Amino acid sequence: MSLLEAILLGIIQGLTEFLPVSSSGHLELGKAILGIETTEDVTFTVVVHGATVLSTIVIFWRDILDLLRGLFSTDWNESKKYIAMLLWSSIPVVIVGLFFKEEVESLFTGNVLLVGCMLLVTGALLSFTYYSPKEGGPVTFKKAIIIGISQAIAVMPGISRSGSTIATGLLLGVDKSKVARFSFLMVLIPIIGANCKDILDGGMANSVVAPLPLLAGAIAAFISGVLACKWMISIVTRGKLIYFAYYCFAAGAIAIAAHFIA
């Protein structure tokens, strides 16, 4: 992997991890368009995902610190309840990761047609948020598990994780700022868990990616992730998801057309 490829993939990962347009789908499209060859080496994926986790922590460090303080309290409090809901919401994606890993990985073969179709699904889901309740409430355990199911479905390339979880929360009547916060915090658990598993399994032991591209990709993913995370919070608060629905419809249609033309 060249330095330029690493920076480009890092930027794509950082931006699309938070914006509701599917990071996995855009990485697949980016590799197909640019002819970037990838190997089974998981090191780069682990590093850039770790960088986006770091960008989330940077943006929400006060929230995370407050939750950790409440966690070590002796009584049952709102922080412990919130952490419990985050863990509860992670169960569906953990099940998918543990029992359907090979099936999920088989979808990441540069299938532009699949990505295009799933981008249309993402666009439709974002469009539905136009009809979500104007006044929202808090996240509950029932709503958390439903949002978690949408996160598990979003392992498919072309289904946006942030888009699906935020849209689901809005349709369930969760307040805009609360669902954005929950969506970005809930991703920390599965990504950190998956990265730790890859490291423990020895997936990074024989990396073929040079240190400089790894570092460049991580920095690019971190910087673009911070910017995208801030931008996305503002977008959700102002109710502007419909514009990303239009984008997903257009990108999906182009991807489908490109598949048949090719």
Side-chain angles (χ1 to χ4, degrees), residues 16-212:
T16 56
E17 179 64 40
F18 298 103
L19 298 180
V21 294
S22 176
S23 61
S24 58
H26 275 72
L27 284 174
E28 290 295 296
L29 292 178
K31 289 182 287 187
I33 293 172
L34 299 173
I36 297 176
E37 296 293 333
T38 58
T39 67
E40 294 182 355
D41 179 21
V42 301
T43 305
F44 185 80
T45 300
V46 170
V47 169
V48 294
H49 274 81
T52 53
V53 166
L54 183 58
S55 65
T56 305
I57 293 173
V58 167
I59 297 298
F60 290 99
W61 70 271
R62 288 188 179 88
D63 301 77
I64 295 172
L65 186 59
D66 289 340
L67 290 174
L68 291 177
R69 286 171 177 167
L71 180 63
F72 293 102
S73 175
T74 57
D75 59 334
W76 178 258
N77 52 47
E78 287 300 315
S79 293
K80 289 183 179 179
K81 179 182 176 181
Y82 199 87
I83 292 174
M85 287 192 294
L86 290 174
L87 293 171
W88 176 238
S89 71
S90 300
I91 292 177
V93 75
V94 169
I95 292 175
V96 171
L98 290 177
F99 299 105
F100 302 98
K101 182 178 180 181
E102 291 184 3
E103 289 78 2
V104 172
E105 289 178 344
S106 68
L107 300 174
F108 291 82
T109 56
N111 190 334
V112 175
L113 178 60
L114 174 63
V115 172
C117 292
M118 292 304 101
L119 281 171
L120 295 183
V121 173
T122 297
L125 187 57
L126 294 174
S127 298
F128 293 151
T129 62
Y130 181 80
Y131 303 99
S132 61
K134 301 303 179 183
E135 298 296 330
V139 179
T140 63
F141 279 94
K142 180 180 179 180
K143 293 176 181 179
I145 193 64
I146 297 174
I147 295 172
I149 292 172
S150 69
Q151 176 172 248
I153 295 173
V155 299
M156 297 185 65
I159 301 276
S160 168
R161 190 211 66 84
S162 62
S164 61
T165 54
I166 290 174
T168 300
L170 291 174
L171 292 171
L172 290 172
V174 180
D175 178 77
K176 294 176 181 178
S177 60
K178 288 182 173 63
V179 73
R181 176 177 182 253
F182 190 80
S183 173
F184 292 141
L185 290 177
M186 70 185 291
V187 75
L188 295 179
I189 297 172
I191 288 184
I192 292 175
N195 285 2
C196 290
K197 184 177 184 301
D198 286 331
I199 294 172
L200 293 175
D201 288 345
M204 298 180 67
N206 299 308
S207 173
V208 297
V209 182
L212 185 57

